[in-house]
Amino acid sequence: MTYAQSVQSLFKPFTFGKITLSSRIVMAPMTRQFSPDGVPGSDVADYYRRRAENGVGLIVTEGTVVQHPDASNQGNVPHLYGEAALGGWANVVTAVHEAGGRIIPQIWHMGARGHVGDYSESDIASIVQSFAQSALEAKRLGFDGIELHGAHGYLIDQFFWEKTNPRTDSYGGDMVARTRFAVEIIEACRRAVGPEFPIVLRFSQWKATDYTAKLAESPAELEKFLAPLVDAGVDMFHCSTRRFWEPEFEGSDLNLAGWTKKLTGKPTITVGSVGLDGDFTSLFTEGKGANHAKIDGLIERLEREEFDLVAVGRALLVDPAWASKIRDGRTAELIPFTSEAVKTLY
C-alpha cells in the first residue's frame, strides 16, 4: 500500500447532520489567551483560517466563556457574549468558511470558585441559561454547531465527578443524578438552536488534578453515564484521553471514543497526543518538546470505524499545515512541537 493510500481514510468526507466535513481531521480546542478583554481580533481569524485552508475538516475553537461571574478568571480568554466579542467571532467564522472549513465554538465555564455545592438552584438556572444564550449566538453568527466543554474538571465535569460534587439534592447523588446539570444545559441549548443544529459534548475520565480519575470504571457504568446525555440531545461525543492508543477498560482494545460509539451509536471524536511522539502532559516539563510520530495505528482504528473523527492538538498548534503535509506525504517538513516554534507560528 502506498503512503497516499494509507492516509486516505483521514481525508474522506464525513457528513454530520446537514454539514459535510472535507476530512476526518479536527482541530482540538486549545486555550491561548490571545483575545484581549475577551474579544478575538483579526489575528485569531487568521490563526483558524490557516488550519482550515490546510485540510482541517472541523475546527473546535479554544474555550469561549459564557456570561457568568465565575466563568473565567483569565482576561484574555475569548467571550461568547457581548457585541465586541461576537463581532470578532463573526469574522472568524467568515474566514474559516471562505477557506473551505467548518467551525464550532467550545462553550465553557471554568468552574465554581469553591465547589458546586455553593450554587443555589437559582444560580444553576442562571448558568444553564447563559450556556443556551451563547449557543443561540453561535447559531446566529453562522457557526456550524457547538461543543459543550464537559471535561478536565471544569464546571460541567465538576458536577459529573463524585469527588467534586457533594450535593445531596437532585443535582448530586449517584452517577445518573450527577448528569442532571449537563442534561439541563444540553436541553436548554437544544431549545435555543433547534433540532438540526449539531451539539457536541466533550468529556473525559481524567481531570487536570488527577490523571487516574474515572467517572466510569466499566463499560456498564459508562453506558449508564452516557444514556441521559444522549437522551438530552447530544449528537456527537468528543472523548478526551491523554493517549488515544490506550485501552479504556480491561479486556478490550477500544479506547474511550471507541467504547462511547459502541455504547451510544453516536459519532465520536478521538483525541490524545495524536501526531506526537510522547503524551501531551510531558511536553510541559522543563525544556521538553516532542517530535512527530507515525500515525499508522490511528489510521487502522479509523478504518475499523472505532471512531469517526480525529482531533489533533499540539501538532496543529505548532504547524498550521500539519494536515496537508500528512496528506501530501511531506512528513520530513513536519515541525516538532517546541515552545519556540509555537511562538513563531501562532
Side-chain angles (χ1 to χ4, degrees):
M1 182 182 294
T2 66
Y3 177 88
Q5 290 171 325
S6 69
V7 300
Q8 185 57 41
S9 58
L10 280 172
F11 296 94
K12 290 180 179 177
F14 180 73
T15 299
F16 175 40
K18 288 194 170 182
I19 67 171
T20 297
L21 310 180
S22 62
S23 77
R24 303 301 180 99
I25 297 174
V26 176
M27 183 175 186
M30 291 172 284
T31 297
R32 303 187 307 134
Q33 300 191 56
F34 273 31
S35 298
D37 298 320
V39 178
S42 59
D43 58 322
V44 176
D46 290 341
Y47 166 76
Y48 289 118
R49 175 188 51 77
R50 286 194 294 272
R51 278 75 183 172
E53 66 190 10
N54 274 288
V56 173
L58 177 66
I59 289 168
V60 183
T61 73
E62 61 212 281
T64 66
V65 295
V66 299
Q67 189 169 16
H68 183 262
D70 293 345
S72 174
N73 58 6
Q74 299 171 344
N76 296 327
V77 167
H79 300 167
L80 197 54
Y81 63 88
E83 183 177 354
L86 295 175
W89 282 119
N91 293 333
V92 173
V93 171
T94 297
V96 169
H97 285 170
E98 287 178 348
R102 298 287 191 170
I103 183 168
I104 63 176
Q106 184 185 72
I107 305 179
W108 191 25
H109 187 301
M110 293 180 67
R113 294 180 186 179
H115 57 70
V116 299
D118 295 334
Y119 288 138
S120 68
E121 292 201 7
S122 62
D123 292 327
I124 290 173
S126 175
I127 296 170
V128 169
Q129 183 53 41
S130 70
F131 272 89
Q133 185 61 39
S134 286
L136 180 62
E137 297 289 9
K139 183 177 181 181
R140 183 179 65 81
L141 294 174
F143 279 104
D144 298 294
I146 60 168
E147 175 171 288
L148 302 173
H149 195 344
H152 308 163
Y154 295 114
L155 185 62
I156 293 175
D157 195 27
Q158 288 177 340
F159 275 84
F160 284 154
W161 196 28
E162 61 182 350
K163 290 188 179 180
T164 48
N165 184 350
R167 299 180 71 104
T168 57
D169 61 4
S170 58
Y171 290 96
D174 65 19
M175 175 179 285
V176 172
R178 295 195 305 273
T179 68
R180 179 181 172 186
F181 178 63
V183 164
E184 290 187 359
I185 289 174
I186 296 160
E187 290 176 341
C189 289
R190 176 58 70 206
R191 288 192 297 270
V193 301
E196 297 181 344
F197 195 69
I199 296 177
V200 181
L201 177 69
R202 193 179 214 211
F203 79 101
S204 67
Q205 298 258 49
W206 68 274
K207 319 300 170 197
T209 57
D210 185 352
Y211 293 139
T212 65
K214 293 276 190 181
L215 292 174
E217 296 284 353
S218 68
E221 287 190 355
L222 183 62
E223 185 172 27
K224 185 181 298 185
F225 167 74
L226 294 169
L229 306 173
V230 172
D231 290 343
V234 172
D235 297 300
M236 178 182 284
F237 289 95
H238 189 172
C239 308
S240 182
T241 56
R242 295 171 63 209
R243 308 176 183 97
F244 76 86
W245 57 87
E246 292 185 342
E248 192 58 37
F249 303 113
E250 290 185 9
S252 169
D253 290 334
L254 291 177
N255 68 8
L256 185 61
W259 272 111
T260 299
K261 182 176 180 178
K262 180 176 181 177
L263 294 171
T264 67
K266 295 292 184 180
T268 59
I269 306 170
T270 197
V271 68
S273 302
V274 173
L276 302 178
D277 64 358
D279 68 271
F280 72 80
T281 53
S282 70
L283 306 181
F284 295 99
T285 58
E286 185 174 352
K288 186 162 185 178
N291 293 313
H292 66 84
K294 292 182 179 180
I295 55 173
D296 307 54
L298 177 75
I299 291 171
E300 290 173 4
R301 288 168 177 260
L302 183 62
E303 289 178 343
R304 292 199 301 265
E305 299 184 347
E306 181 176 330
F307 38 74
D308 302 279
L309 300 172
V310 175
V312 181
R314 284 150 185 81
L316 263 177
L317 181 68
V318 74
D319 192 345
W322 184 87
S324 60
K325 289 175 182 178
I326 292 291
R327 180 191 62 210
D328 300 337
R330 295 183 288 131
T331 54
E333 299 176 25
L334 290 169
I335 300 171
F337 182 97
T338 66
S339 58
E340 290 305 310
V342 169
K343 289 177 184 177
T344 63
L345 286 171
Y346 262 169

